[in-house]
Amino acid sequence: MAQSKTLYTGAANAESTGVRATLARWFDDEQRLGYLMVAPALLLLIIMVAYPFVLSIWLGFTDTRIAQEATGNFIGLENYIDLINRTLFREKVIRNTLLYTVGAVPLKLVLGLLLALLLNRRFPLRNAVRGLLLLPWVIPTSLSMITFLWLFEPTFSVLNFLLEGAGFSPVNWLGTPNTALFSVMMVNVWRGTPFFAVILLAALQGVPDDQVEAARIDGANTLQRFWYIVIPAIMPVVVVSTLFSLVRTFAEMEIVWILTNGGPFNSTHMIGTYAYQLAIKNARIGEGAAVSLFFFPVMVLVVWFQLWYLQRRAQ
C-alpha cells in the first residue's frame, strides 16, 4: 500500500514538473508572451470599440428604431441623402460643428503652449501648480458644467455682475444665438487647454539643452531659438495632440448638451448633440448613426495626413 502511494506521488510530481517545464518553455518565447500580454487589452478594444463601431456603420444604412424587435431594413444611403437635404443639418449642425472646432482647437493649442512654456520655468510651488492645472480636464464634465450654468445664468451670473460693475449691459449668455455658441466654445477651451499644456510641457522637457545653448552662443535671440529649435523639436507632439483634440472637439456632445441642449433655436446643435437627439430622444437609431458617421471619411483623411507627416519626418 505504501509502495503504491509512493508511486502515485512520484507520478504526480513528475506530471507537475512536466507542466511547469512546458509552461516555462512556452513563456520563454518572447513573441508568444507578447501576444498573451496584449490579448486582454485587444479583447477589450474589440468589445468596447470595434464592435460598436462596426454596428454603427451597419445601423447607418438601416431604418432601425428603438423598441423594434429586430434590426431595421437595409435602406442604403437613404439616411445620408436625407441628412444632406435637411436644412437644419446643412445650415446649422455642419456650420456649428466646423465653427466650434476651428475656433476652439487653435485657441487651446496656443494657450496650452503658453502655459507649457511658463510651467517649464522654475518658480515656487511649480509642482503644485502643475497638478492644479489638470483640474479642469479631470473633473467630471457634468460637475463642472453645473458651475458654468451658474456663471452663465442671466440674472445672478457672476459674469454679468462684473459687466454691470464695469458699466456694460448684462448678457444672456446661453439664451441668444449670437452668444450661445461662443459661450460653449469658451467652456471647451477652458476644459481642453490643460491637456495641451501637459502634453507640450512633456515635449518641451525633451528639447536638447545643448542645441538651445549653442544657438544662444551663436547670437540667436529668444524668439529665434523658439522658432528654429524648440518648435521643430516638439512638432510631432503638436501634430498628434492637435489631431486628438480635433477629433474630440469635433465629436463634442457633453458640454453642449448639458449647457444648451442644442439651443436656443438649434444655434448650438452639433454632430454629437444632433446624433443623440435623433437616436435617443427621437428613437431613430439609424438616422443618429448616420449623423455620427457623416464626417468619418474626413476624419480618416486627417489621420492619414498625420501619419504621412510623421513618417516623412522620421525619414
Side-chain angles (χ1 to χ4, degrees):
M1 188 73 177
Q3 184 178 5
S4 300
K5 184 176 181 180
T6 302
L7 291 174
Y8 176 78
T9 303
N13 290 336
E15 183 179 358
S16 176
T17 302
V19 171
R20 287 198 297 269
T22 301
L23 290 175
R25 288 194 302 270
W26 201 85
F27 283 113
D28 283 340
D29 188 335
E30 293 185 0
Q31 184 176 6
R32 191 178 298 168
L33 180 61
Y35 288 142
L36 181 64
M37 300 296 288
V38 171
L42 181 62
L43 181 62
L44 184 64
L45 286 174
I46 292 174
I47 295 174
M48 303 299 295
V49 178
Y51 172 72
F53 175 68
V54 174
L55 180 61
S56 65
I57 292 177
W58 165 251
L59 290 174
F61 294 109
T62 67
D63 59 356
T64 304
R65 291 176 176 269
I66 292 179
Q68 280 184 333
E69 295 182 359
T71 304
N73 300 317
F74 180 79
I75 58 175
L77 296 175
E78 187 174 323
N79 284 332
Y80 296 93
I81 295 173
D82 180 62
L83 287 175
I84 294 174
N85 294 329
R86 195 172 297 177
T87 304
L88 171 60
F89 184 75
R90 289 198 322 269
E91 298 183 1
K92 293 287 187 179
V93 176
I94 294 179
R95 171 184 171 274
N96 293 339
T97 303
L98 294 177
L99 287 176
Y100 186 81
T101 304
V102 174
V105 173
L107 192 54
K108 287 188 287 187
L109 173 60
V110 172
L111 293 177
L113 181 57
L114 291 176
L115 282 174
L117 291 171
L118 292 174
L119 294 174
N120 199 37
R121 304 175 66 89
R122 295 186 179 276
F123 58 88
L125 301 177
R126 181 177 63 169
N127 292 333
V129 173
R130 288 177 176 178
L132 292 174
L133 179 68
L134 281 173
L135 283 179
W137 197 54
V138 300
I139 292 177
T141 305
S142 57
L143 180 61
S144 59
M145 290 309 103
I146 294 175
T147 303
F148 278 101
L149 284 173
W150 174 65
L151 287 175
F152 290 138
E153 207 280 328
T155 305
F156 304 104
S157 168
V158 174
L159 296 177
N160 282 340
F161 177 79
L162 295 175
L163 286 176
E164 290 178 350
F168 296 97
S169 301
V171 177
N172 189 3
W173 297 97
L174 301 177
T176 58
N178 294 331
T179 58
L181 184 61
F182 173 78
S183 300
V184 295
M185 186 188 304
M186 290 302 101
V187 175
N188 181 272
V189 171
W190 170 84
R191 183 169 174 79
T193 297
F195 166 77
F196 276 101
V198 172
I199 296 297
L200 296 179
L201 176 61
L204 287 173
Q205 293 178 344
V207 177
D209 293 333
D210 54 346
Q211 294 183 14
V212 178
E213 184 63 22
R216 188 186 66 81
I217 295 174
D218 289 341
N221 57 38
T222 302
L223 183 59
Q224 289 172 331
R225 294 196 300 270
F226 175 75
W227 185 257
Y228 292 105
I229 296 179
V230 176
I231 289 296
I234 67 173
M235 185 55 68
V237 178
V238 171
V239 172
V240 173
S241 58
T242 302
L243 174 67
F244 180 81
S245 180
L246 184 71
V247 174
R248 287 291 304 271
T249 306
F250 199 86
E252 179 62 64
M253 185 266 175
E254 293 175 288
I255 292 176
V256 181
W257 188 260
I258 294 174
L259 292 180
T260 65
N261 284 345
F265 308 110
N266 299 315
S267 61
T268 59
H269 252 320
M270 299 178 201
I271 292 293
T273 58
Y274 193 56
Y276 177 79
Q277 178 174 298
L278 287 178
I280 306 301
K281 294 291 185 178
N282 297 345
R284 301 200 292 255
I285 295 291
E287 292 184 26
V291 171
S292 64
L293 292 170
F294 192 85
F295 282 99
F296 176 69
V298 178
M299 293 293 103
V300 171
L301 290 176
V302 172
V303 173
W304 175 85
F305 173 77
Q306 179 230 3
L307 294 175
W308 170 82
Y309 172 79
L310 295 177
Q311 290 176 354
R312 184 180 179 184
R313 280 185 60 91
Q315 292 177 354

